Amino acid sequence: MSAVRVVADTTICQGHQLCQGEAPDVFGFDADEDVVVVLDEHPDESRRKDVATAVKYCPAFALSIEEEGTT
Protein backbone atom coordinates (compact mmCIF):
# COMPACT_ATOMS: atom_id res chain seq x y z
CA MET A 1 0.00 0.00 0.00
CA SER A 2 1.37 3.40 -0.89
CA ALA A 3 1.26 6.48 1.27
CA VAL A 4 0.34 9.89 -0.04
CA ARG A 5 1.97 13.23 0.50
CA VAL A 6 -0.04 16.42 0.04
CA VAL A 7 1.83 19.30 -1.58
CA ALA A 8 0.75 22.93 -1.89
CA ASP A 9 2.50 25.44 -4.13
CA THR A 10 1.97 28.67 -2.22
CA THR A 11 3.54 30.68 -5.03
CA ILE A 12 0.48 30.06 -7.21
CA CYS A 13 -2.23 29.68 -4.54
CA GLN A 14 -4.88 32.37 -5.00
CA GLY A 15 -6.52 31.97 -1.59
CA HIS A 16 -9.89 30.64 -2.76
CA GLN A 17 -9.98 28.23 0.23
CA LEU A 18 -12.10 25.64 -1.62
CA CYS A 19 -9.74 22.93 -0.37
CA GLN A 20 -10.79 23.66 3.19
CA GLY A 21 -14.37 22.83 2.31
CA GLU A 22 -13.34 19.39 1.08
CA ALA A 23 -10.74 18.48 3.71
CA PRO A 24 -10.57 21.01 6.56
CA ASP A 25 -8.43 18.65 8.63
CA VAL A 26 -5.80 18.56 5.87
CA PHE A 27 -5.90 22.13 4.53
CA GLY A 28 -5.77 25.34 6.53
CA PHE A 29 -5.38 28.96 5.54
CA ASP A 30 -2.83 31.62 6.41
CA ALA A 31 -4.86 34.83 6.35
CA ASP A 32 -1.78 37.03 6.62
CA GLU A 33 -0.18 35.47 3.55
CA ASP A 34 -3.52 34.70 1.82
CA VAL A 35 -2.41 31.15 0.99
CA VAL A 36 -3.20 27.54 1.79
CA VAL A 37 -1.39 25.74 4.61
CA VAL A 38 -1.07 21.97 4.62
CA LEU A 39 -2.06 20.87 8.13
CA ASP A 40 -1.53 17.16 7.51
CA GLU A 41 1.08 16.36 4.86
CA HIS A 42 0.45 12.61 5.19
CA PRO A 43 -3.29 12.19 5.73
CA ASP A 44 -4.80 8.81 6.46
CA GLU A 45 -5.81 6.70 3.47
CA SER A 46 -9.44 7.22 4.50
CA ARG A 47 -9.04 10.92 3.59
CA ARG A 48 -7.74 10.24 0.06
CA LYS A 49 -11.07 10.84 -1.71
CA ASP A 50 -11.66 14.23 -0.06
CA VAL A 51 -8.06 15.31 -0.60
CA ALA A 52 -8.22 14.24 -4.25
CA THR A 53 -11.41 16.26 -4.68
CA ALA A 54 -9.73 19.31 -3.15
CA VAL A 55 -6.78 18.91 -5.51
CA LYS A 56 -9.05 18.44 -8.53
CA TYR A 57 -11.14 21.54 -7.88
CA CYS A 58 -8.38 23.95 -6.83
CA PRO A 59 -8.92 26.90 -9.21
CA ALA A 60 -5.21 27.76 -9.22
CA PHE A 61 -3.97 24.15 -9.57
CA ALA A 62 -1.82 24.82 -6.51
CA LEU A 63 -2.36 21.41 -4.88
CA SER A 64 -1.05 17.97 -5.70
CA ILE A 65 -0.84 14.47 -4.29
CA GLU A 66 2.39 12.52 -4.52
CA GLU A 67 2.51 8.76 -4.06
CA GLU A 68 5.30 7.71 -1.71
CA GLY A 69 6.54 4.18 -2.35
CA THR A 70 4.85 0.91 -1.57
CA THR A 71 5.02 -1.35 1.43
Side-chain angles (χ1 to χ4, degrees):
M1 180 157 129
S2 62
V4 297
R5 178 173 172 250
V6 178
V7 179
D9 184 343
T10 58
T11 65
I12 62 173
C13 176
Q14 297 173 353
H16 294 283
Q17 301 181 51
L18 296 177
C19 53
Q20 286 185 290
E22 297 298 334
D25 55 325
V26 177
F27 301 103
F29 186 70
D30 182 333
D32 292 335
E33 297 294 323
D34 196 34
V35 295
V36 65
V37 175
V38 177
L39 302 174
D40 186 356
E41 190 175 274
H42 299 281
D44 187 77
E45 181 65 27
S46 66
R47 302 300 292 133
R48 184 187 286 258
K49 182 179 176 188
D50 292 333
V51 172
T53 299
V55 169
K56 179 178 179 180
Y57 291 110
C58 175
F61 305 103
L63 306 174
S64 62
I65 297 173
E66 296 178 353
E67 300 292 332
E68 293 193 326
T70 57
T71 56

